Amino acid sequence: MAPAAEIDFASAPSRRLTGSGPTTKSRHLASIPVIDLAQPDHLAAEEVAAACSSVGFFYVRNHGVDEAVIENQFVQSHAFFDLPLEEKLKIKANASQRGYYPYSMGSAKNSKGQHDQKEAFNVYGFESDSTHLPFHGHNLWPPETMLPDFRPAMLAYYDAMNQVGIRILRLLGLALKLGPDYFLPKFQASTSNIRCVHYLPQQYSPADGICGVGAHTDWGMLTVLATDAQPGLQISHEGSWIDVEPRPGHFVINIGDLLDRWTGGKFCSTLHRVINKTGKDRYSCPFFLAPDWNAKIEPLPGLQDPTINGSQKVVTCGEWLSMRRAAEYGGKPLVAL
Ligand SMILES: O=C(O)CCC(=O)C(=O)O
Ligand SMILES: [Fe+2]
């Protein structure tokens, strides 16, 4: 892998902001698109193209995922976060980014000196003995004697999310007029992960840097998000923070930085944050879809971005993820071991 300094760092800024972001105003946007995945692919792809080149976020419905798989993930996530802290810390996240992130450890400090107000648990779809490489390693699990259903529930959820992700990849290929299978060869042993997240029922104050998740863009290809019934997710749109209301039976999809770059900015990775205002606990589970570690992210035909240092350098997915992490965490390891 090329050292990070040789990679096009300028095109991978950390877009994490502090404070309230574009404005303190928050309004409801009725028009976050809802895309019905039961319709024929060529019609869904047109709607995907429109959503990705405008708001960068959309809901999907009729996604085909069994409700029980989603429900089991949330039940097991609750059960895990309810464990005593000392038990959770036994599987504290290691350098491979897998396992438990206590409050204040799963994010870089923002300029107000605050971490994200959340605890989280990461599971990756690939496992590897090459632990000298970032993001490589083995998943960590709570003991079966304690939570026997946790691991199967999380693996089933990962598989279901991966299927949704592949469906969206096919629509993206169609939307970009590259064909439905264009992206698939680069997602054979993907570096994707799910992250169970628990937000505290506390007072949030974006102006003081206290957020569930501070304003950020996602790093990878796209994100498939399930939340419980509590609102909290907001996206930055035309200078306002827009609430993304939970919709039963829907997932929220958003474009990540890697796809933004890959399309030369045609499809946008939109700034978003979580402010859990309800005074209740909030649980969510994003699936971060990312290509294979060695997949080359070559500019797509006709979609080079002339603003990126004259031409887009080819990076591998692994280089990209490492670079994004370094930009966000100042090159320090995510978790002090
Ligand atoms: O919990 C949510 O609604 C979104 C979380 C998120 O944006 C993230 O983890 O990247
Ligand atoms: Fe995000």
Side-chain angles (χ1 to χ4, degrees):
M1 190 169 92
E6 289 178 15
I7 304 170
D8 186 5
F9 246 110
S11 66
S14 172
R15 300 193 205 173
R16 179 174 284 265
L17 301 181
T18 56
S20 55
T23 171
T24 51
K25 201 167 54 168
S26 167
R27 68 186 166 90
H28 186 72
L29 180 78
S31 62
I32 292 175
V34 180
I35 300 181
D36 187 344
L37 294 184
Q39 66 186 310
D41 277 1
H42 71 282
L43 296 178
E46 282 175 22
E47 295 180 16
V48 166
C52 293
S53 49
S54 55
V55 66
F57 270 74
F58 54 95
Y59 297 96
V60 290
R61 69 173 177 217
N62 289 324
H63 44 65
V65 177
D66 187 346
E67 266 309 310
V69 171
I70 303 169
E71 179 64 17
N72 285 344
Q73 177 280 126
F74 279 112
V75 166
Q76 293 303 316
S77 167
H78 279 230
F80 174 75
F81 290 124
D82 281 349
L83 290 176
L85 182 61
E86 65 185 79
E87 290 301 333
K88 294 185 279 190
L89 288 174
K90 287 181 186 163
I91 48 170
K92 194 170 80 173
N94 54 28
S96 70
Q97 322 290 308
R98 296 133 199 269
Y100 174 61
Y101 289 88
Y103 289 107
S104 303
M105 283 192 65
S107 64
K109 272 188 186 169
N110 61 35
S111 66
K112 309 269 184 184
Q114 301 291 338
H115 291 277
D116 290 347
Q117 305 295 302
K118 65 171 199 277
E119 59 180 339
F121 188 89
N122 266 0
V123 177
Y124 276 75
F126 82 109
E127 301 205 63
S128 164
D129 292 330
S130 306
T131 47
H132 59 287
L133 291 172
F135 299 96
H136 286 60
H138 292 275
N139 287 323
L140 301 174
W141 302 105
E144 272 184 40
T145 46
M146 207 167 271
L147 288 181
D149 299 327
F150 185 85
R151 181 176 176 159
M154 293 303 156
L155 293 178
Y157 188 76
Y158 179 94
D159 286 345
M161 291 304 98
N162 199 37
Q163 288 308 311
V164 175
I166 287 168
R167 181 80 204 287
I168 307 291
L169 278 183
R170 295 176 64 83
L171 297 177
L172 287 168
L174 286 169
L176 291 164
K177 312 223 176 309
L178 299 167
D181 297 337
Y182 184 86
F183 289 112
L184 302 189
K186 296 190 192 260
F187 289 80
Q188 297 305 303
S190 80
T191 49
S192 311
N193 70 294
I194 56 170
R195 177 180 303 153
C196 304
V197 193
H198 172 214
Y199 299 95
L200 284 169
Q202 65 181 43
Q203 290 299 316
Y204 287 78
S205 171
D208 298 321
I210 302 174
C211 299
V213 183
H216 69 284
T217 50
D218 293 347
W219 301 354
M221 185 77 175
L222 59 90
T223 304
V224 181
L225 174 73
T227 74
D228 66 10
Q230 305 306 324
L233 176 61
Q234 299 183 321
I235 64 171
S236 167
H237 186 65
E238 295 178 353
S240 297
W241 284 112
I242 308 300
D243 294 321
V244 181
E245 301 292 344
R247 281 177 170 250
H250 294 61
F251 294 120
V252 177
I253 312 285
N254 65 282
I255 297 309
D257 294 339
L258 185 144
L259 182 57
D260 186 318
R261 175 194 170 94
W262 212 348
T263 61
K266 182 180 169 77
F267 286 175
C268 44
S269 169
T270 299
L271 203 63
H272 55 287
R273 70 181 188 183
V274 174
I275 311 290
N276 180 23
K277 289 178 286 196
T278 59
K280 296 183 181 153
D281 295 277
R282 179 177 186 270
Y283 296 84
S284 74
C285 192
F287 166 72
F288 300 104
L289 180 71
D292 302 345
W293 183 255
N294 290 318
K296 288 198 166 77
I297 312 305
E298 291 144 320
L300 299 171
L303 289 174
Q304 289 89 345
D305 181 348
T307 66
I308 302 178
N309 286 349
S311 67
Q312 277 161 284
K313 291 185 186 138
V314 174
V315 294
T316 63
C317 172
E319 288 166 341
W320 176 259
L321 294 177
S322 305
M323 181 168 62
R324 286 294 281 111
R325 193 182 63 168
E328 181 126 352
Y329 292 93
K332 298 196 189 85
L334 190 57
V335 175
L337 296 172

